[in-house]
């Protein structure tokens, strides 16, 4: 995924597998029932983790996330604000990202979001992995503030993402065309990428994103 996940795996913070065996895992295989629960070293202090008291998470439910929808949000003076929902017929939870400006996302640059309200994104290039804040969250109008929430699919109630082993979401466009959006779900303490989905932008929204990014000459 990026250098942060690479060195955390290399340093042995993912306790189920050694470095050689995890390199053979895929987004599908790592969610297999026989490989649950996933064991991750527990965060103790900045830069320090303990493998003596690992945290365990059953991530098998992620394999049921098979439906991604993108809807435009009608807010004055904006064109590319959207809501992204990730769920599935058999998924117990729904992940919702609101007020994400699809025109701010760049190709092959990870746009990272933490869970909660008024979350501000950080851009992280694949190489080198230097985070840069794209905007100051305190200066964002209330109507534009982003949120990233995990909720119970049946009751709509908030679910603690940390107890479900999730800490962050990455968004990116794989190509300059900006017609397909890649979405990554990252584990507790950003140790392991666990799930990846790809969705086509609705045609009208795609054109607005392209115009905002000056991909046309007219």
């Amino acid at each position: 995924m990026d250098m942060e996940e690479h060195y955390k795996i290399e340093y042995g913070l993912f306790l189920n597998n050694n470095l050689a065996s995890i390199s053979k895992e895929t987004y599908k295989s790592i969610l297999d029932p026989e490989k649950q629960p996933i064991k991750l070293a527990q965060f103790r202090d900045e830069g320090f983790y303990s493998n003596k008291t690992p945290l365990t998470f059953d991530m098998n439910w992620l394999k049921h996330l098979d439906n991604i929808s993108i809807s435009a949000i009608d807010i004055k003076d904006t064109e590319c604000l959207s809501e992204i929902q990730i769920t599935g017929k058999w998924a117990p939870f729904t992940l919702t990202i609101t007020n994400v400006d699809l025109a701010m996302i760049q190709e092959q640059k990870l746009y990272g979001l933490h869970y909660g309200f008024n979350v501000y994104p950080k851009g992280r290039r694949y190489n080198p992995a230097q985070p840069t804040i794209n905007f100051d969250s305190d200066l964002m109008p209330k109507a534009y503030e982003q949120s990233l929430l995990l909720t119970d699919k049946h009751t709509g109630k908030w679910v603690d993402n940390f107890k479900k082993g999730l800490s962050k979401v990455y968004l990116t466009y794989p190509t300059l065309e900006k017609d397909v959006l890649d979405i990554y779900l990252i584990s507790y303490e950003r140790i392991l990428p666990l799930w990846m989905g790809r969705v086509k932008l609705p045609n009208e929204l795609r054109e607005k994103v392209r115009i905002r990014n000056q991909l046309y000459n007219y």
Side-chain angles (χ1 to χ4, degrees), residues 170-188:
Y170 283 137
L171 307 175
T172 190
Y173 294 117
T175 69
L176 184 63
E177 296 297 320
K178 299 184 185 295
D179 57 344
V180 173
L181 184 68
D182 286 352
I183 305 171
Y184 300 90
L185 305 188
I186 311 300
S187 77
Y188 163 82

Side-chain angles (χ1 to χ4, degrees), residues 92-94 149-160:
F93 309 115
T94 297
L149 298 175
L150 187 68
T151 55
D152 187 289
K153 180 183 173 183
H154 302 290
T155 66
K157 292 184 177 180
W158 172 78
V159 175
D160 188 340

